[in-house]
Amino acid sequence: MTERVRHAVIELAIEGGFPACTFANIAERAGVQRSTLYRRFPDRWTTIIDAIVAKTGDDVVADLSGSFERDLRSVLRKLADALDSPLGPAVMAIAARMQADPNADYPRDYFDGRMAQLEPMFAAAIARGDLPDDIDREELFTSAAGPLWFRKFISARPLDNAFIDRIVENVCWLYCSGCRA
């Protein structure tokens, strides 16, 4: 049932954004009762965040390469592919809507879900000595992923491999243990 609900949320988000992701629409699309959604999720934001984190995090670090640089490049390529997909603009619009409520923890919940998915990559890099033990994982990932969001949604430029390579090179120069002056 969880996968059907997630799939329904993603389809609805692409088709109509946040307004389309009502419990009534999600339940109908997923073929479940609304009461099932209410028992499982406290509100529609939680349902939306769960679906987006699951969809955009599919196998995000499934194949660790033995190199933080290669792993980060792979993660950023997968993010770029997601942002270039029909889901990308929907996620951007939903993220903007999340920010509209200054009292909500939803944006933090989304980012925490993403950071949990990336933890194996960071743990492996620290264990190999690629990153220092006290690395600020959020700062590093924000420095790496932020340019993709900006380039895609603000400057409307392509998310090509050359751009991703430059980001990875700069992030590794700033954060990797072997690259620090």
Side-chain angles (χ1 to χ4, degrees), residues 140-166:
L140 187 155
F141 187 65
T142 300
S143 296
L148 293 177
W149 287 84
F150 187 90
R151 187 170 175 105
K152 174 70 179 175
F153 296 111
I154 304 301
S155 68
R157 302 284 191 268
L159 300 176
D160 57 29
N161 288 333
F163 181 69
I164 292 171
D165 289 344
R166 287 191 302 278

Side-chain angles (χ1 to χ4, degrees), residues 89-108:
V91 170
M92 184 65 175
I94 289 169
R97 185 82 179 245
M98 276 192 276
Q99 295 294 328
D101 183 353
N103 299 318
D105 288 331
Y106 303 120
R108 185 77 212 165

Side-chain angles (χ1 to χ4, degrees), residues 28 45 58 79 82 102-103 109 116 134 140 143 152 157 172:
E28 181 180 337
W45 274 119
D58 288 345
L79 174 58
N103 299 318
D109 293 344
D134 63 346
L140 187 155
S143 296
K152 174 70 179 175
R157 302 284 191 268
C172 287

Side-chain angles (χ1 to χ4, degrees), residues 45-62:
W45 274 119
T46 306
T47 312
I48 293 167
I49 291 167
D50 173 74
I52 291 172
V53 167
K55 177 68 174 174
T56 60
D58 288 345
D59 302 323
V60 73
V61 290

Side-chain angles (χ1 to χ4, degrees), residues 32-112:
V32 299
Q33 296 295 317
R34 271 195 314 191
S35 59
T36 302
L37 294 178
Y38 285 112
R39 280 193 304 273
R40 189 112 193 215
F41 301 100
D43 55 44
R44 72 177 170 160
W45 274 119
T46 306
T47 312
I48 293 167
I49 291 167
D50 173 74
I52 291 172
V53 167
K55 177 68 174 174
T56 60
D58 288 345
D59 302 323
V60 73
V61 290
D63 299 318
L64 295 174
S65 71
S67 160
F68 177 71
E69 182 179 344
R70 284 192 302 270
D71 293 344
L72 181 60
R73 185 174 286 107
S74 174
V75 166
L76 293 182
R77 183 71 257 161
K78 289 174 184 176
L79 174 58
D81 290 346
L83 295 178
D84 281 339
S85 77
L87 182 59
V91 170
M92 184 65 175
I94 289 169
R97 185 82 179 245
M98 276 192 276
Q99 295 294 328
D101 183 353
N103 299 318
D105 288 331
Y106 303 120
R108 185 77 212 165
D109 293 344
Y110 171 77
F111 193 70
D112 288 348

